[in-house]
Amino acid sequence: MVAFGKKLKDRQIQEWQGYYINYKLMKKRVRQYAQQIQLGTLDRRHVLKDFSRMLDNQIEKIVLFLLEQQGLLASRIAKLGERRDALQEEPEINKIIELREAYRVLGQDLLKLLFFVEINAVGLRKILKKFDKRFGYRFTDYYVKTRANHPYSQLQQVFKHVGLGAVVGALSRNLHELQDRQGSYLSIYDQPTLPLEDPVVDSINAAVDRLTNSTNFLNFLGQHALIMQEELPSPTEEPVDDKRYHFMSLLLNLANTFLYMVNTYIIVPTADDYSMSLGAAPTVCGIVIGAMAIAQVFSSVYFSAWSNKSYFRPLVFSSIVLFLGNVLYALAYDVSSIWILLIGRLLCGFGSARAVNRRYISDCVPLKIRMQASAGFVSASALGMACGPALAGILQTNFKIYKLTFDQNTLPGWVMAVAWLIYLMWLSISFKEPSHDAEENHTPHQSNDANKALEEGLKQPLLISSENKVDEDADEDGDDSEEAAEDSRQPVNSIAAAYRLLTPSVKVQLLIYFMLKYAMEILLSESSVITTYYFNWSTSNVAVFLACLGLTVLPVNIVVGSYISNMFQDRQILLASEIMVLIGVLLSFQLIIPYTEPQYICSGLLLFVSAEVLEGVNLSLLSRVMSSRLSRGTYNGGLLSTEAGTLARVVADATITLAGYVRQSMLLNVTLLPSLLICIFSIVATCFTYNSLY
């Protein structure tokens, strides 16, 4: 296990060594401050002033060197521009090729400079967190806010890379003009969406995108999927990704995600009627719906482990099990057995391959399109969640073929069985199993060679805007041993080991995830029982209501990802969303006044939308603060969040079933009470955690 300071030194470009942030010196100074404060020889005000001055000097050193290098690059671009102008008058193929290669060499030097900015930004973030952790002071907040927008501050040069954009633009435009456009008279400005097919420009754009880390809808949606990336990925990661990527296989994984979500929610509008037709109480719908989640608690682990060796075989197994589970669910009516119904739903849960879907995107999709694939995963889930109840509302018919009954209760099972059978055939024909050899034989190595350091650095995530990134990794300890453990790239090999890596802030965010999933499951699973009792809604009405809730997912994420997250810090949105969920729960209670449809619809919509906002922001934060060791392996961050959410659904569905022993008039309040208590507890835990850390 290598400490961050040593990694920082090893990855520096040798000829620029004197211009990097002196992380080792600053870490030593932080320790000296701690000792002097403990002995009473120094007060905090002096520490803050001295450390601020030291940081200012370090950043100024970095920025002046950055500006010098930008000037050299600009001068080289100007000279190459003169050669380009000369070639326009007398074009020669050989000279055009030489000029294009000269621009590409310049692009490689620009990549070095981007890597220089990146590694200094990471070092700056690390030392700020170390200072906050050691002294329990919100120094990061103070330092960033006082310098980020100050006219004389150098900090924005590091975070906003002012000037680099002009160099990138000039390089891209000139390479575009030197390409063979096959007689086209259009420039890069006339076709802004036309991609420039050049590996150097692709690498530069990827590095710039990570450096800016603009919080747009796509990034927000991708983080919603919690498909984590390692902080220090291996040097060979990107070539392996390109070699293993297969578009149709990715599409099949997204289709699996969509169908599974349809399968989960298609029975919700009719689960109470189906339970009653088999002689059970309507509240048994809780355990019928929750049986799938119970099985998923276990299936997530073995599917995650299985995906270490194969992606195709787990998906085949998943399809077969889901086909059988849906057939049993449909047959339960004709054999009049609630147990067959439950076994069918359990089998469906044992076929949950969401861990495989996440893992495929994380391991096999190239870094440059991984965010789009992650956004596709979330979109497929949201669409499936909306389509499930909508499909149930359409299947309002009743007929028999031989001795088999086809009605609103059994048709969801038959329709999904046919869907999984078609999917299985498509999977068998089109899926391409990626090679696991590169992953198994890969052993990380380090090199002081500048180009290799550059190749490694361009693949690691860059510093996220400090004002939003204050929330990140606030748990980092001051001593080297814990820092070394955090930076280790070895995946954990057990749930216990994964749990030990969870810091207080991560545990709180997993608690928030549990809370919001619990509240949402209560709302969705008991909707048919509640609306039938209070409003005498039909199955079609329930289906429309649930489908409308599901359709809010993507619009809400667009608003949050594109607008709200740019105006407020993530932790502010997190706390506000928790409070709105609490208000939604409170408004859902039946008090003295008669319970009305507007009250139920408005409170349910507020609760659901707030929970969706909370889920997106919470998972976005979770993907940043979780240890990099949980980005790979069986027991990864995605698995932990899946287990937390699945356990919440299991507990919620069990609550509905147990609440069936009380009077039906008390069902709503009895099931909402745990949601209220968990929500209050999570808000208190959030306030306490962030106040103690900052």
Side-chain angles (χ1 to χ4, degrees), residues 328-343:
L328 288 178
Y329 181 85
L331 289 174
Y333 183 85
D334 291 308
V335 298
S336 298
S337 173
I338 189 70
W339 293 109
I340 296 295
L341 186 74
L342 292 173
I343 291 171

Side-chain angles (χ1 to χ4, degrees), residues 140-141 144-146 148-149 155 159 463-472 566-572 624 694:
T140 302
D141 261 351
V144 171
K145 286 180 179 178
T146 55
N149 296 312
L155 189 63
F159 290 150
L463 175 63
I464 295 174
S465 174
S466 281
E467 189 162 335
N468 288 333
K469 195 65 176 178
V470 170
D471 302 307
E472 180 187 354
N566 289 327
M567 294 186 287
F568 302 98
Q569 295 183 28
D570 282 355
R571 67 172 184 266
Q572 293 173 329
R624 302 183 208 165
Y694 300 103

Side-chain angles (χ1 to χ4, degrees), residues 84-133:
R84 182 203 62 208
D85 293 340
L87 281 173
Q88 285 180 344
E89 296 178 3
E90 298 180 9
E92 293 184 28
I93 298 297
N94 291 335
K95 289 186 177 181
I96 290 175
I97 293 173
E98 288 178 8
L99 183 59
R100 189 185 302 162
E101 289 305 312
Y103 272 114
R104 285 179 179 146
V105 170
L106 190 147
Q108 293 290 345
D109 291 338
L110 176 58
L111 283 173
K112 290 182 183 180
L113 193 59
L114 288 169
F115 177 50
F116 172 81
V117 177
E118 168 190 8
I119 202 167
N120 280 293
V122 173
L124 180 61
R125 170 172 59 86
K126 290 277 186 180
I127 200 64
L128 284 169
K129 290 189 299 176
K130 187 175 289 295
F131 188 93
D132 281 354
K133 182 66 178 179

Side-chain angles (χ1 to χ4, degrees), residues 192-212:
T193 60
L194 185 67
L196 175 57
E197 297 177 357
D198 192 286
V200 172
V201 174
D202 287 343
S203 299
I204 291 171
N205 288 335
V208 171
D209 286 343
R210 288 194 299 271
L211 192 58
T212 52

Side-chain angles (χ1 to χ4, degrees), residues 42 48 116 167 199 339 347 421 561:
L42 205 63
L48 294 177
F116 172 81
V167 179
W339 293 109
L347 276 178
L421 192 60

Side-chain angles (χ1 to χ4, degrees), residues 474-485:
D475 51 85
E476 182 182 4
D477 209 321
D479 58 72
D480 288 334
S481 61
E482 191 166 324
E483 187 180 69

Side-chain angles (χ1 to χ4, degrees), residues 275-505:
S275 301
M276 291 172 64
S277 69
L278 297 177
T283 51
V284 173
C285 70
I287 201 66
V288 172
I289 297 169
M292 206 164 167
I294 293 170
Q296 192 180 341
V297 171
F298 304 99
S299 66
S300 296
V301 178
Y302 68 71
F303 271 116
S304 184
W306 201 350
S307 63
N308 289 327
K309 299 189 178 297
S310 174
Y311 299 99
F312 176 68
R313 288 192 291 273
L315 290 175
V316 170
F317 177 78
S318 165
S319 305
I320 294 172
V321 170
L322 281 157
F323 169 76
L324 294 174
N326 281 290
V327 169
L328 288 178
Y329 181 85
L331 289 174
Y333 183 85
D334 291 308
V335 298
S336 298
S337 173
I338 189 70
W339 293 109
I340 296 295
L341 186 74
L342 292 173
I343 291 171
R345 287 294 286 179
L346 281 170
L347 276 178
C348 290
F350 282 123
S352 170
R354 287 174 67 81
V356 179
N357 305 144
R358 273 196 178 104
R359 188 75 179 275
Y360 184 88
I361 294 172
S362 176
D363 291 356
C364 302
V365 175
L367 192 62
K368 59 187 176 183
I369 63 168
R370 194 173 296 161
M371 190 60 74
Q372 289 93 323
S374 302
F377 177 85
V378 176
S379 301
S381 299
L383 189 60
M385 185 179 181
C387 287
L391 191 57
I394 296 172
L395 301 175
Q396 301 296 304
T397 186
N398 191 347
F399 61 93
K400 276 198 172 190
I401 299 178
Y402 298 107
K403 294 183 179 181
L404 298 179
T405 303
F406 296 85
D407 62 8
Q408 66 174 15
N409 295 327
T410 62
L411 272 172
W414 292 121
V415 168
M416 292 311 303
V418 172
W420 284 113
L421 192 60
I422 294 171
Y423 175 81
L424 181 59
M425 291 188 289
W426 181 25
L427 183 72
S428 304
I429 296 169
S430 303
F431 192 87
K432 180 181 177 182
E433 179 74 87
S435 170
H436 287 258
D437 295 339
E439 196 173 84
E440 291 170 3
N441 298 331
H442 169 64
T443 52
H445 64 277
Q446 296 199 2
S447 170
N448 287 333
D449 181 79
N451 290 331
K452 289 190 177 181
L454 172 65
E455 188 179 343
E456 293 177 17
L458 289 172
K459 299 184 185 75
Q460 54 185 317
L462 299 179
L463 175 63
I464 295 174
S465 174
S466 281
E467 189 162 335
N468 288 333
K469 195 65 176 178
V470 170
D471 302 307
E472 180 187 354
D473 289 341
D475 51 85
E476 182 182 4
D477 209 321
D479 58 72
D480 288 334
S481 61
E482 191 166 324
E483 187 180 69
E486 176 68 20
D487 285 331
S488 170
R489 294 184 64 253
Q490 297 299 319
V492 296
N493 53 13
S494 69
I495 285 286
Y499 183 79
R500 285 195 294 271
L501 287 175
L502 301 182
T503 59
S505 59

